[in-house]
Amino acid sequence: MRLPVKSSALLAAIGFLLVEAASASLSVDSQASVVVIPPTVSNGLTEAQFISSTHGLDGPKLSNINSTAFGEVWYFNTVSEDGKYSVVAFFWASPSPSLTAQLQNEKILSAQVIVREDDDIYSANSVFAETAEIFTSAKGTSGLWLGTGCSFSGSQSLSTYSVNFSSPFEITGSIILESVAPAHYKCSSAEAGVDTQILPNFGWVNAIPDAQTTVDLKINAKNIKFKGIGYHDLAWSNAPFFSKAKGSLFTEYQWAHGRIGPYSVVWLVITGSDGTNLTSGYVSRDGKVLGTPCSNVSVTPQFNTSTRQIRRFFAQIDLRHEGTLYAQLDVGGILINDAGFVAGSGGLSGGLSSEAFEHTGVASFEYYRSVQLPEMPSGPQ
Ligand SMILES: *[C@@H]1O[C@H](CO)[C@@H](O)[C@H](O)[C@H]1NC(C)=O
Ligand SMILES: *[C@@H]1O[C@H](CO)[C@@H](O)[C@H](O)[C@H]1NC(C)=O
Ligand SMILES: *[C@@H]1O[C@H](CO)[C@@H](O)[C@H](O)[C@H]1NC(C)=O
Ligand SMILES: *[C@@H]1O[C@H](CO)[C@@H](O)[C@H](O)[C@H]1NC(C)=O
Ligand SMILES: *[C@@H]1O[C@H](CO)[C@@H](O)[C@H](O)[C@H]1NC(C)=O
């Protein structure tokens, strides 16, 4: 869906609000801008930008984050080539910084890192930040969560992101991502004027679909160093993620990012609690996008029949004249397993239908299925 006219009106409105919120007087039309996110929820309406612009692909999309908004989350992920290590990092500007629990915080700015080494899991949660400063320059964005020791810094062309942690954060060091795959939205490459919503009022941009990563972290006395593949996206909403009537916004959610041979692959399959479905596939080869389809994408999960844990995914992404990408993700290390939400990594194999051989590699995934809540007894009316 393209709404170029509406988008410029919306952008103008948001630009005005961002300038009001920011301490510096810069407009969204310039090459650089800074937005300061205050530490606590705001009163009034949360304004959201859901139509893409050319500037600041993963720049702030909300102004005035109120107590019922999901907020914004800058997400980074990496898994080592041998699958031994994986890391996820979240930079939250959200009163409810969780996909599994309905939190209600007054303070909204925090960062969280989870690291896996074989079967050992390490995690760190930051203190709440004093403010977050988000700098946007051309396409890239940098974010500083003041007082937490956590920041990320993106280059103007989106080619490199570094995610840095220092004291008082309990994990220190850096993750450097060097992009190997062009950015995209759910059903298109990174163009201006496209609808970024993956569910009503829930936006998503995949600024780095695939990257070479260099990880150097210190956890207590332990050094974790590896090279692997990485990923970065931003998700935002001015609506709540959980509601009393519908539970979470998703009843089922499947996401994965991986690399097999020359192919960078991302899939996102969502069933919303309002019955809306989204299937989005992305495949690039040697830095060129082969397709960003939203139809003829299928992902089938398979479970262990005794433990009922997620075991495998089969994915098919139709790339029209390029053929169909087939991939199988075999679940390996688990990073998060909480209230129906599972995040981890695994081996990925597959290739294009037009090819005679299969490639192998690694992938990261998330899988969520809403836990069936017991029937509420209906009270006297
Ligand atoms: C927050 O903003 C949203 C979107 O504008 C609005 O629907 C909602 O009612 C607001 N919440 C509060 C508590 O003001
Ligand atoms: C982040 O870490 C990298 C690698 O150690 C370093 O080169 C870079 O200067 C750091 N950036 C910031 C903002 O601290
Ligand atoms: C969404 O997908 C589910 C499960 O595949 C299906 O039952 C439902 O009818 C779909 N909804 C729409 C609006 O297509
Ligand atoms: C989906 O696949 C079918 C069968 O191959 C094809 O006819 C149709 O054009 C495809 N649709 C899209 C939107 O690619
Ligand atoms: C299912 O899980 C059990 C317990 O971890 C394991 O022993 C079994 O091999 C698994 N089954 C399959 C088919 O993977």
Side-chain angles (χ1 to χ4, degrees):
M1 186 170 58
R2 280 155 193 272
L3 300 165
V5 178
K6 266 196 178 157
S7 96
S8 51
L10 182 64
L11 285 181
I14 284 186
F16 175 72
L17 287 162
L18 293 185
V19 170
E20 288 242 304
S23 49
S25 59
L26 291 160
S27 104
V28 286
D29 294 324
S30 72
Q31 277 285 291
S33 62
V34 55
V35 168
V36 178
I37 306 179
T40 53
V41 290
S42 303
N43 293 323
L45 300 181
T46 302
E47 302 287 335
Q49 179 191 333
F50 291 121
I51 302 297
S52 63
S53 73
T54 47
H55 175 82
L57 212 70
D58 60 339
K61 303 290 190 260
L62 301 179
S63 66
N64 203 39
I65 297 171
N66 71 26
S67 62
T68 54
F70 167 75
E72 303 178 271
V73 56
W74 282 263
Y75 170 82
F76 298 87
N77 170 306
T78 176
V79 54
S80 64
E81 279 148 13
D82 58 5
K84 180 179 165 74
Y85 300 101
S86 58
V87 183
V88 292
F90 302 87
F91 288 78
W92 294 97
S94 167
S96 187
S98 167
L99 297 178
T100 56
Q102 190 168 0
L103 307 176
Q104 193 50 260
N105 298 332
E106 201 46 33
K107 297 194 173 182
I108 62 173
L109 300 171
S110 61
Q112 180 184 25
V113 173
I114 307 172
V115 179
R116 182 182 62 82
E117 179 188 34
D118 294 318
D119 292 332
D120 295 328
I121 310 281
Y122 306 90
S123 70
N125 291 297
S126 76
V127 296
F128 288 109
E130 293 151 27
T131 55
E133 289 174 1
I134 316 283
F135 303 91
T136 301
S137 184
K139 286 182 178 156
T141 295
S142 300
L144 188 58
W145 265 236
L146 250 76
T148 65
C150 304
S151 65
F152 61 85
S153 171
S155 65
Q156 293 192 341
S157 60
L158 297 175
S159 61
T160 308
Y161 266 70
S162 66
V163 187
N164 294 51
F165 308 105
S166 59
S167 172
F169 202 60
E170 285 164 344
I171 293 174
T172 58
S174 63
I175 302 169
I176 295 169
L177 296 92
E178 286 163 277
S179 181
V180 299
H184 73 114
Y185 296 107
K186 60 178 178 186
C187 317
S188 73
S189 52
E191 306 158 20
V194 301
D195 181 1
T196 60
Q197 293 170 94
I198 51 174
L199 284 179
N201 299 308
F202 199 93
W204 179 70
V205 57
N206 187 188
I208 301 194
D210 192 16
Q212 293 296 120
T213 59
T214 307
V215 179
D216 187 351
L217 296 174
K218 207 166 171 193
I219 307 171
N220 303 323
K222 181 185 269 292
N223 274 310
I224 297 216
K225 281 192 184 201
F226 65 88
K227 287 193 185 293
I229 65 164
Y231 171 95
H232 159 50
D233 68 20
L234 168 67
W236 68 97
S237 178
N238 57 350
F241 190 76
F242 294 96
S243 77
K244 279 207 184 85
K246 293 177 185 161
S248 106
L249 209 52
F250 309 151
T251 57
E252 189 172 21
Y253 162 84
Q254 306 185 62
W255 165 86
H257 150 246
R259 173 131 31 107
I260 36 176
Y263 304 107
S264 300
V265 182
V266 177
W267 67 71
L268 183 63
V269 176
I270 299 177
T271 307
S273 44
D274 62 350
T276 327
N277 291 325
L278 170 83
T279 56
S280 161
Y282 170 94
V283 182
S284 72
R285 177 176 54 208
D286 302 324
K288 283 211 177 68
V289 176
L290 298 188
T292 56
C294 272
S295 51
N296 290 353
V297 176
S298 83
V299 180
T300 311
Q302 198 182 73
F303 302 86
N304 180 315
T305 46
S306 56
T307 63
R308 298 171 78 190
Q309 279 291 316
I310 188 80
R311 198 174 142 234
R312 187 172 283 157
F313 300 91
F314 297 102
Q316 277 186 42
I317 302 174
D318 182 355
L319 301 167
R320 314 297 296 269
H321 62 275
E322 296 281 353
T324 299
L325 183 115
Y326 291 91
Q328 175 177 325
L329 196 168
D330 292 295
V331 172
I334 301 290
L335 203 59
I336 306 171
N337 190 353
D338 179 28
F341 180 83
V342 185
S345 59
L348 191 69
S349 55
L352 278 193
S353 50
S354 53
E355 289 178 328
F357 58 94
E358 230 187 40
H359 302 281
T360 57
V362 286
S364 296
F365 73 90
E366 286 176 356
Y367 179 79
Y368 170 77
R369 188 148 64 177
S370 62
V371 180
Q372 219 46 45
L373 295 169
E375 285 285 320
M376 296 293 282
S378 50
Q381 292 294 313

